[in-house]
Structures are given as structure tokens and as C-alpha cells.
């Protein structure tokens, strides 16, 4: 896929490759859905193969570290070819397996690349274990850490890596990419998907097939007019659905946060901006808590609506 926001990262990466000493640690930073994983894979291959035409498609000197099986029981299921559950984080043993591979020389050349994605989901033990490799990297080994929230990385890890930042895509770029992938949707849904995505193609693509047009309109009404009769919140719950899956709920949360953030950026009134910023923070906290606490979907929808109504009420000018 052609990523129009990758021009600057590629320029910085290739400039470093042409230098006398390539830095061994790289942080690929930016929100989800900006193609950082695609970049990491292509950059690692370019670095390792040095454009050799005979390089294998699945290169043995590119090591991928991501979520593994949740526990020993799930690992046995994986080994037996059965469906298995993944861990929610990258653990110490995942980094340990990678480090054991680094004890031998690269298979086909003098270089090796390690891609850790998403690096900000390493637990503390895994991060500290990785730090040892970053402090004393094996010869010819390069680390590419894909991260959506660089602040979650240990400061000592950040200090040992060079950062490549990936900018959000414009609405025009997102729309063109959606067209290129054949994404469908009426104009209202397309518009809502672009708002919810906030520059992320991954989010825009995920939302394009959801009925976000009606959802966005209802949320805008709650922000504009409040909901004294509870009709708007009931409609929001209906649109989200009584048995909405995790993806549908995440779409609703992301859309609500995007609409609130857009209003906060647009207003010049400090009180209104403060209310909107607080609403955005509470929506973000609720979105983080929802998968963990397994809240009732209908109650979650009503709470999203109540937070939007609260932002509306707090931003209204006082009488007199």
C-alpha cells in the first residue's frame, strides 16, 4: 500500500542508511493506523537485504516480536493447530526468545533487524530485559520499536533510540485511500468515518463499514442541544446496539472523542474548552475500562450520551 505520510520517515531512514554509522535503535512513533508496521517491515528488509534480488521473501534475519500465546495452556493449543488466546501484552519471555536468537550470527549476511510491535505494550519486565540489548547491541543488529504512545516506553529506552515520527493523514488522503481499497459507505458515513479517524487510515477503514453517519448525527445533537427528555441517549443506545461487539463499541468511543476534540480545538471560550477537554478525558478513561470490566453495552451507550450532554450543559453561557 502507498502511504503518502511516509515520505519524511523514508527520507530520514535512507539518509541514516547512507551514513557512516547507522543508529542501532529506532522508535517509529505515531497514532495507530498510520502504516508504521508496514514501514518497519519494508525498512528492515531494505536494511538487511541491501537490495539483493535473491533475498528470500520471509527473511530469517528479520525477527518479529509481538503478542504471544497467553499461557502454557494456550501455547499447547497453538502447537496443536487449535484456536488460542493471545496475551494482552508483550512479556519478558517474548523478549527472552528474541535475545536467544541474537546469540548466533545472522543467517544470510552481516545484519539483522528486530521489529517489536507494539513496543508500548511491553510489560515492565520485558522492557527492562530489552534495555539490556539496547545498551549492548550485538554487532549488526538493529531494533525497530513500533509505538503508538512513546511516553509509555521507559525513558532509558527512549534515550537510546532515534525517533521517526509519522504524521496523521489528511482527510483528502484518507478518502483517496478508502477509494483505493474499495471501501463503501454513503456520504454521511464516509464523513463520520473521517471525523472519527482523525488522520488514521486504520481507523477510517475500520469505521467505513459501520453506520457512523446516524451515530455521528445523534452525538452532534447531544453536544448541541443536550437531552432533557432522554430521547437522544436512548437513540444513541439503539444505534450502538444492545449486543454491540468490541469493535462497534470502540468505534462509538472513538467517534465521540473525535467530535469532542474537534469542538475543543475550534472554540475560543476557555470554559467551553475546559468542559470539552474534561469530557474527552472521561470518555478515554471509560473506553479503557470497558474491555476490562465487561460493562453492559446498553449502560455504556447511555454513559457515552450522558458525558456528551454534560459537555453541552457545561459550555452553555450562564443566564444574565
Amino acid at each position: 500500500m502507498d502511504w503518502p505520510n511516509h515520505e519524511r520517515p523514508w527520507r530520514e531512514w535512507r539518509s541514516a542508511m547512507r551514513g557512516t554509522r547507522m543508529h542501532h535503535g529506532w522508535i517509529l512513533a505515531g497514532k495507530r493506523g498510520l502504516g508504521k508496521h508496514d514501514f518497519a517491515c519494508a525498512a528492515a528488509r531494505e536494511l538487511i537485504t541491501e537490495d539483493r534480488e535473491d533475498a528470500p521473501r520471509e527473511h530469517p534475519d528479520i525477527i518479529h516480536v509481538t503478542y504471544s500465546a497467553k499461557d502454557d495452556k494456550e501455547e499447547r493449543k497453538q502447537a496443536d493447530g487449535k484456536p488460542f488466546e493471545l496475551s494482552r501484552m508483550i512479556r519478558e519471555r517474548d523478549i527472552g526468545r528474541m535475545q536467544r536468537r541474537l546469540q548466533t550470527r545472522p543467517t544470510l549476511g552481516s545484519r539483522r533487524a528486530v521489529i517489536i510491535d507494539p513496543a508500548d505494550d511491553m510489560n515492565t519486565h520485558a522492557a527492562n530485559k530489552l534495555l539490556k540489548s539496547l545498551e549492548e547491541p550485538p554487532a549488526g543488529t538493529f531494533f525497530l520499536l513500533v509505538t503508538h504512545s512513546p511516553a509509555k516506553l521507559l525513558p532509558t529506552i527512549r534515550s537510546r533510540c532515534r525517533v521517526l515520527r509519522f504524521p496523521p493523514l489528511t482527510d483528502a488522503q484518507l478518502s483517496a485511500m478508502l477509494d483505493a481499497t474499495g471501501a463503501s459507505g454513503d456520504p454521511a458515513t464516509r464523513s463520520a468515518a473521517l471525523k472519527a479517524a482523525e488522520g488514521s487510515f486504520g481507523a477510517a477503514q475500520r469505521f467505513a463499514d459501520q453506520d457512523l453517519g446516524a451515530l455521528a448525527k445523534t452525538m452532534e445533537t447531544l453536544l448541541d442541544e443536550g437531552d432533557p427528555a432522554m430521547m437522544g441517549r436512548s437513540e444513541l443506545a439503539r444505534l450502538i446496539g444492545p449486543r454491540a461487539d468490541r469493535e462497534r463499541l470502540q468505534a462509538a468511543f472513538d467517534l465521540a472523542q473525535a467530535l469532542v476534540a474537534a469542538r475543543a480545538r475550534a472554540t475560543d471560550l476557555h470554559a467551553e474548552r475546559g468542559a470539552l477537554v474534561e469530557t474527552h478525558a472521561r470518555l478515554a478513561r471509560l473506553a479503557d475500562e470497558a474491555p476490562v470490566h465487561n460493562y453492559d453495552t446498553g449502560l455504556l451507550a447511555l454513559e457515552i450520551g450522558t458525558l456528551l450532554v454534560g459537555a453541552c450543559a457545561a459550555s452553555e453561557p450562564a443566564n444574565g
Side-chain angles (χ1 to χ4, degrees), residues 60-309:
D61 293 324
I62 300 177
I63 303 170
H64 296 265
V65 181
T66 188
Y67 309 111
S68 60
K70 180 181 178 180
D71 50 33
D72 291 342
K73 178 181 178 181
E74 298 303 315
E75 281 197 342
R76 288 194 293 272
K77 290 181 182 178
Q78 181 183 16
D80 293 338
K82 299 176 181 179
F84 64 95
E85 185 177 352
L86 289 173
S87 171
R88 292 186 177 181
M89 60 185 63
I90 295 173
R91 295 164 298 172
E92 183 179 11
R93 69 178 183 179
D94 301 318
I95 300 299
R97 288 167 179 164
M98 174 270 292
Q99 289 174 330
R100 286 192 289 275
R101 292 185 62 180
L102 299 186
Q103 293 173 3
T104 60
R105 294 179 59 84
T107 304
L108 299 179
S110 60
R111 292 175 175 176
R112 176 167 41 201
V114 177
I115 299 171
I116 303 177
D117 181 16
D120 37 11
D121 275 359
M122 288 187 292
N123 65 21
T124 302
H125 297 299
N128 283 320
K129 198 171 186 67
L130 173 65
L131 182 59
K132 295 178 182 178
S133 292
L134 289 172
E135 289 173 339
E136 299 179 8
T141 299
F142 301 86
F143 296 87
L144 290 85
L145 279 58
V146 177
T147 174
H148 316 308
S149 303
K152 291 183 178 180
L153 295 174
L154 293 177
T156 44
I157 287 180
R158 297 200 302 268
S159 68
R160 285 165 174 77
C161 295
R162 180 171 170 178
V163 179
L164 284 180
R165 298 194 182 278
F166 290 73
L169 293 144
T170 66
D171 283 358
Q173 289 171 335
L174 285 175
S175 189
M177 292 176 75
L178 287 174
D179 288 338
T181 58
S184 58
D186 59 72
T189 294
R190 171 69 66 93
S191 176
L194 296 181
K195 285 183 181 180
E198 290 195 301
S200 163
F201 174 68
Q205 190 175 40
R206 190 168 68 250
F207 299 153
D209 294 331
Q210 306 242 14
D211 186 16
L212 292 185
L215 203 59
K217 184 176 180 180
T218 300
M219 289 181 176
E220 294 272 19
T221 301
L222 292 173
L223 283 167
D224 287 334
E225 303 173 9
D227 188 30
M230 284 289 294
M231 298 296 291
R233 275 166 281 191
S234 296
E235 176 65 5
L236 187 67
R238 186 189 71 79
L239 290 170
I240 291 175
R243 294 184 177 85
D245 59 19
R246 185 171 180 175
E247 184 173 331
R248 180 70 172 169
L249 279 174
Q250 190 60 54
F253 275 118
D254 288 349
L255 178 57
Q257 290 177 72
L259 295 175
V260 169
R263 288 177 179 240
R265 289 191 295 267
T267 184
D268 293 325
L269 302 175
H270 293 299
E272 182 179 9
R273 183 181 295 114
L276 290 163
V277 168
E278 175 60 22
T279 296
H280 189 280
R282 293 177 68 182
L283 284 166
R285 286 197 296 271
L286 187 60
D288 287 340
E289 293 170 0
V292 177
H293 297 292
N294 197 25
Y295 293 138
D296 178 84
T297 303
L299 293 177
L300 274 175
L302 290 174
E303 182 61 20
I304 292 171
T306 297
L307 290 173
L308 296 176
V309 170

